[in-house]
Amino acid sequence: MSIPAILDSFQDAATYESQQGKITMDYLRERDLVWLLSAWQIEFIRRPNINEAIRVTTFPYEFRNFLGYRNFLITTLNDEVLVK
């Protein structure tokens, strides 16, 4: 899995999670607001292999004023952490 594909999967996970809550893409669009990613800190344990089944998860861990901090994980289906 390429590094850009890993970043895309993290972004997709965050977008999917936001669609499950109150602040959806439509909510943001109607108010001319955006989510903005300001930095990544990624640790690669190993990159997923081609055709390897993976799970991508994300969860917030802190909020300060208008800033939110979020963790992302890519794991195997056996919960081996690949990328965090």
Side-chain angles (χ1 to χ4, degrees):
M1 189 172 191
S2 70
I3 292 172
I6 289 169
L7 297 177
D8 286 346
S9 70
F10 287 164
Q11 182 174 334
D12 290 347
T15 300
Y16 178 80
E17 184 186 51
S18 75
Q19 290 300 101
Q20 308 311 305
K22 293 180 182 178
I23 304 184
T24 64
M25 294 297 121
D26 288 337
Y27 176 95
L28 294 172
R29 192 176 302 108
E30 290 166 2
R31 290 161 179 79
D32 293 324
L33 298 172
V34 298
W35 292 107
L36 179 65
L37 174 65
S38 63
W40 287 109
Q41 182 177 340
I42 301 172
E43 182 178 344
F44 292 90
I45 306 337
R46 75 170 174 82
R47 291 183 6 198
N49 295 317
I50 192 163
N51 294 327
E52 181 174 20
I54 60 169
R55 180 180 300 119
V56 180
T57 57
T58 183
F59 48 93
Y61 67 89
E62 186 176 351
F63 296 96
R64 287 191 205 155
N65 299 318
F66 63 90
L67 297 175
Y69 299 88
R70 171 173 295 281
N71 281 324
F72 294 87
L73 289 173
I74 295 179
T75 61
T76 65
L77 299 184
N78 295 327
D79 295 324
E80 174 193 356
V81 176
L82 304 178
V83 183
K84 61 182 180 176

